[in-house]
Amino acid sequence: MKIEIRLFIWLAPFFVVVGVLYGFFGGWSEPVGYLGLPLIGGLMAMVGAYLALQARHIDPRPEDDEQGEIDQGSGDQGVYAPWSWWPLVLAGGAAVAFLGLAVGWWVFYISLILGLVGLVGWVFEFSRGQHAH
């Protein structure tokens, strides 16, 4: 996590300085620029602080060891469903939701049903027991 912490903490002042310079050279006429860029810097600082706090509670990763070997990162990285169609159903529900914002609310309500079916299907894809596939 060392790299991620440094990235977020070091970029936070950059965005604040760029926001002030943007406001100065733009004549403070566009509030989206001179307010938005320092707010991005604040968000970067918050993410960096969160990662720094979490790094104290977990063991260092193999990526953080400068003398580490490649095989230290081997092993299970998680459980993934390589042949799952449920993310496609969920993405279709999101696409129909954006279509519903442009066409009409009744289409948006249909997308909620489609998205709920996709989410439940994806969550319970590896369900074991009475309702296993």
Side-chain angles (χ1 to χ4, degrees):
M1 283 190 147
K2 291 179 187 177
I3 300 293
E4 293 91 347
I5 293 169
R6 289 181 187 160
L7 177 74
F8 282 102
I9 295 294
W10 289 352
L11 282 177
F14 168 77
F15 281 109
V16 173
V17 169
V18 167
V20 171
L21 289 174
Y22 184 87
F24 179 73
F25 287 117
W28 307 102
S29 62
E30 185 184 354
V32 174
Y34 73 79
L35 288 176
L37 286 168
L39 286 174
I40 291 172
L43 290 173
M44 298 286 275
M46 286 193 305
V47 171
Y50 173 77
L51 290 175
L53 289 173
Q54 290 301 313
R56 295 180 186 173
H57 300 292
I58 61 174
D59 295 331
R61 300 178 305 173
E63 294 89 3
D64 295 331
D65 185 13
E66 293 182 11
Q67 304 298 325
E69 297 292 328
I70 293 176
D71 61 352
Q72 288 177 338
S74 64
D76 289 336
Q77 300 294 325
V79 177
Y80 303 102
W83 304 109
S84 178
W85 287 89
W86 291 112
L88 188 63
V89 174
L90 198 56
V96 173
F98 282 109
L99 177 71
L101 293 176
V103 173
W105 286 103
W106 63 275
V107 178
F108 183 78
Y109 296 136
I110 293 172
S111 72
L112 290 177
I113 296 168
L114 183 62
L116 186 64
V117 168
L119 183 64
V120 169
W122 199 13
V123 168
F124 291 110
E125 182 172 16
F126 292 113
S127 178
R128 299 289 185 251
Q130 182 181 1
H131 303 291
H133 297 129

